[in-house]
Amino acid sequence: MTHTIPPSHLQSNSQILRTFEDNYLLLRRIFAPLFNGSEEISLGKNDGQAPLLLKVSERHKYMTIIELNQKISEDKNIPDIFLRLRLYFDARVAEVIAYQGIERIPARYQVKLSRGDTRDEKMQVNLLLNEFLQYIDDQGYRILTTSDSPVTN
């Protein structure tokens, strides 16, 4: 059965939901193997930089959680990039659910300024994901084969 709702009506007017939708489309395009059953992939440019690693941590019928990780520097004071994402296949949205040691991003009504939360933290971290994915796409990152991967000890 085909949908009778025009595609133009399916996009949300909410900025955060539009960001979730854009993130899903970018993830689907850049990391297609994860949507087709792969459990782990590496992306890079063969320029000596550490690859971007993506790993499926949970896979369900309508939802998958993936972890995105990239080592930035050997310096212990500079943390790796780490984002945990939840992808909803039925709604076609992706959201950041954890990042850089923050395991739970509070909803707007759960924000406690005394704890250091910001009212738009969820929006900001999802915009960061969106910009990061666009950067990966623009810079020509590609899926690395085992022969492309740098040797690690």
Side-chain angles (χ1 to χ4, degrees), residues 82-116:
F82 175 79
L83 298 166
R84 185 174 301 125
L85 317 172
R86 183 178 295 135
L87 288 75
Y88 296 97
F89 301 121
D90 53 347
R92 295 185 184 146
V93 295
E95 68 171 326
V96 177
I97 58 172
Y99 68 100
Q100 304 300 107
I102 307 294
E103 289 298 319
R104 191 168 171 280
I105 303 168
R108 272 189 305 196
Y109 59 86
Q110 295 173 319
V111 167
K112 293 186 179 166
L113 298 177
S114 63
R115 187 173 56 199

Side-chain angles (χ1 to χ4, degrees), residues 24-83:
Y24 181 86
L25 293 173
L26 284 165
L27 286 162
R28 185 155 182 96
R29 185 173 70 238
I30 300 168
F31 308 121
L34 291 179
F35 288 80
N36 297 327
S38 292
E39 295 297 316
E40 191 172 312
I41 60 171
S42 297
L43 268 74
K45 296 186 335 181
N46 287 340
D47 59 359
Q49 291 183 1
L52 176 65
L53 305 172
L54 283 97
K55 179 181 170 186
V56 173
S57 62
E58 291 182 38
R59 192 179 293 275
H60 304 282
K61 185 175 182 179
Y62 298 109
M63 182 266 305
T64 292
I65 295 177
I66 61 173
E67 295 178 351
L68 182 148
N69 198 346
Q70 185 175 32
K71 188 167 195 64
I72 298 298
S73 171
E74 295 299 324
D75 185 346
K76 300 278 187 219
N77 295 320
I78 301 174
D80 298 347
I81 294 174
F82 175 79
L83 298 166

